[in-house]
Amino acid sequence: MLDDPRFAGRIYTDHFRNAVFPHRDRNGICGLEIRNDRFRGFSKGGEKGVWYSRALPEDTTLIICESGIDVLSYHALHRPAQAHYFSIAGQMNSRQRILLTSAMQKLPHGGIVIAATNNDPGGIKLAREIREIAEAAARQDLGLIDHRPDREGQDWNDVQRALARSRSPAPNRPGQPANLGPT
């Protein structure tokens, strides 16, 4: 997936093997969203802008997730065509509102915004904020979809990891055959 042209050159790894998602504002890189399975943080002294995938000319959909890891999980689960991704790294600030408004205004006629937030109170609040930004963008032609995981409390990475576990063979135990999954 990291070889996908959408993500090429947009995600890095630091010396701790953390995934690093550079946040940008109108002036360039302004901070780094840093994640692994036991750590989530933001670069000291950095400021949140937005992390975004590469935009392709045929993109008609803007998908907004709470984290870069959620972007990758959402993409792995749904593989939407013609989609440009954004991460805000948690709660939204005023700079991010401006950047998202600009991105929404650049969508082609009939474009779609997907608020792919967590299924928790923070995700519900964020989806409401994304709706407000879309409405303020003054684009009556934009579609807006609120898409959260089915289970309360989950984010898209939780969903992707649960699916991966259900597809993985169980470890062998003495006297038991290996679970090879569906054939």
Side-chain angles (χ1 to χ4, degrees):
M1 183 169 48
L2 295 178
D3 292 333
D4 185 310
R6 286 191 187 289
F7 303 116
R10 298 294 179 163
I11 305 165
Y12 299 90
T13 308
D14 67 11
H15 62 284
F16 295 111
R17 300 193 41 83
N18 295 312
V20 178
F21 301 88
H23 274 234
R24 290 176 167 81
D25 61 15
R26 294 185 189 272
N27 298 315
I29 295 177
C30 56
L32 305 171
E33 181 182 344
I34 305 166
R35 297 288 297 260
N36 72 29
D37 60 343
R38 292 179 297 278
F39 174 80
R40 52 176 81 172
F42 206 82
S43 58
K44 186 176 181 178
E47 295 183 24
K48 290 192 326 181
V50 291
W51 173 87
Y52 51 88
S53 67
R54 292 190 181 282
L56 302 179
E58 64 273 11
D59 288 346
T60 60
T61 303
L62 176 68
I63 300 173
I64 304 165
C65 294
E66 292 188 46
S67 73
I69 294 293
D70 286 331
V71 163
L72 296 177
S73 297
Y74 190 91
H75 184 75
L77 289 162
H78 303 289
R79 299 281 180 182
Q82 302 173 317
H84 186 196
Y85 291 94
F86 279 71
S87 163
I88 60 164
Q91 295 180 357
M92 197 174 328
N93 63 35
S94 59
R95 172 190 298 175
Q96 291 171 312
R97 287 177 161 277
I98 293 166
L99 295 169
L100 290 176
T101 300
S102 176
M104 290 175 191
Q105 289 172 336
K106 292 175 185 172
L107 281 170
H109 184 79
I112 298 170
V113 175
I114 299 176
T117 60
N118 301 351
N119 190 355
D120 61 16
I124 293 165
K125 178 180 182 251
L126 184 57
R128 194 171 28 247
E129 289 180 68
I130 292 168
R131 174 175 295 284
E132 291 168 4
I133 292 168
E135 290 169 356
R139 292 274 313 268
Q140 302 300 322
D141 63 303
L142 287 182
L144 184 62
I145 298 170
D146 186 353
H147 192 197
R148 281 174 272 162
D150 291 336
R151 291 188 52 213
E152 189 174 333
Q154 284 191 320
D155 63 29
W156 290 109
N157 189 241
D158 295 331
V159 174
Q160 194 271 332
R161 287 185 308 184
L163 183 62
R165 279 192 303 271
S166 72
R167 291 181 176 167
S168 296
N172 279 342
R173 293 188 189 124
Q176 291 186 331
N179 176 4
L180 300 178
T183 55

